[in-house]
Each structure stands twice: as structure tokens, then as C-alpha cells.
Amino acid sequence: MSLITRRFSVAELSQKILEMSTTGVYRESVFEALQPVATKKQIREAIAHAKQFGLHSVASLRDPELGTYYQLDPVKFKTLSQALHATQTGKDADLAQCLTAATRTTQQMLMLAQAFGVVLLLSGIAAWITGLHQLSFGFWGASMSAILLWRLQRQLSQRISLKD
């Protein structure tokens, strides 16, 4: 199958658009370059998909004939490039939904680790009150370990959270 007769997927088109935008490209040039291998609708979907991976428009370089000027944000692209081919495109598997679900899961895991640390701390206090001093020290040590682990995980999750 030749390049001209083969139709590309949205992810493949996004990759091509991202490659083109490393040096900057006008919207009309994207349509011209990809017209033989995709429909205009597919190219528009691919542009929207590529925006999730660092493609952004430069308003000051907009041309009346060539349209929007696109450039690639290299930092955002490097951060998200691993997910480019791993994601499925379409309504069922939107990248934003995947990231939201991952964030929600991370928050739940952090909440569980924090609760576990507090339960161990309270168990240590209860053991101390009942006179089981050695057991209480064990619970307190485990509690401090769980709380330190929770704080480390929380700090790491805040560091890698994506902000636009």
C-alpha cells in the first residue's frame, strides 16, 4: 500500500503535526501536507489531539491566508510524548479523562496511606493507655513510617502534577 493510498490514524497524524510544529507551521500548510493521507476532519481531530501534547497557537503570527501558526512546546511534549501512542483517540478514551482518572486514583491512594498512618498512631496511643508499652512503640514506629511515606508520596505527586 503506497503512502498516498494509506489513511493514517489520528495518533499518527498527530505525530506528523507535532514533528512539523517543532520549527513552526501554519494551519493551511498542515492541511496541504496531510491532505493526501487524511480528510480535513481527521486533520482537525489530529490537531486537537496534538494540542494535548504541547501544540499551541501563536496569535501574533496568525496570517489571514495561511491561518493559525502552530508551534510545539518542547517541555510539555517531552513530558507527555510517552502517552502519544499509548492513548486511544475518540470520545471513549480522551486523554483528559485518562489524566483525571489517574489523578483521582492517586488522591485516593494518598488518602488511604494517610488514614493508615493515623490508624497506626491511634493504635499506639490505645496500646500505651492499656499498658502495652512495647506494642505501642511498635505501632508508633509503624505510624511514623507510614506518615513519612505518605508525605513523600504527596510531595512527589504534587511535583509531577501538570499545570497549563
Side-chain angles (χ1 to χ4, degrees):
M1 183 179 286
S2 73
L3 182 66
I4 293 179
T5 59
R6 179 176 176 254
R7 292 290 179 182
F8 285 22
S9 70
V10 174
E12 291 172 318
L13 290 170
S14 294
Q15 182 64 39
K16 297 240 181 259
I17 292 168
L18 290 169
E19 289 170 6
M20 293 169 67
S21 67
T22 55
T23 58
V25 66
Y26 281 100
R27 184 178 180 97
E28 196 57 38
S29 299
V30 171
F31 282 117
E32 283 180 27
L34 298 177
Q35 196 70 40
V37 293
T39 64
K40 280 196 172 204
K41 181 181 177 186
Q42 289 173 321
I43 296 170
R44 281 192 295 272
E45 288 175 8
I47 290 172
H49 186 253
K51 285 181 179 180
Q52 296 175 349
F53 295 95
L55 182 71
H56 65 92
S57 59
V58 181
S60 62
L61 296 175
R62 180 168 175 72
D63 185 86
E65 292 179 25
L66 298 174
T68 306
Y69 186 79
Y70 293 114
Q71 280 187 324
L72 181 65
D73 178 357
V75 175
K76 189 172 182 181
F77 177 70
K78 186 175 182 184
T79 304
L80 297 173
S81 64
Q82 298 296 326
L84 180 60
H85 291 292
T87 60
Q88 298 174 350
T89 57
K91 295 178 183 176
D92 294 337
D94 187 24
L95 178 62
Q97 291 173 345
C98 293
L99 289 174
T100 302
T103 302
R104 191 177 320 115
T105 302
T106 302
Q107 289 172 345
Q108 290 172 346
M109 290 177 3
L110 287 171
M111 202 167 62
L112 182 63
Q114 182 184 22
F116 189 64
V118 170
V119 167
L120 286 170
L121 180 66
L122 294 176
S123 298
I125 292 171
W128 182 266
I129 291 172
T130 59
L132 302 170
H133 299 290
Q134 287 182 331
L135 184 61
S136 69
F137 286 124
F139 278 128
W140 286 339
S143 170
M144 291 302 116
S145 295
I147 289 172
L148 286 173
L149 184 61
W150 164 73
R151 288 189 58 134
L152 176 66
Q153 289 173 337
R154 186 181 70 174
Q155 195 173 29
L156 289 173
S157 72
Q158 287 173 349
R159 187 182 308 161
I160 64 169
S161 67
L162 301 173
K163 297 175 183 138
D164 284 327

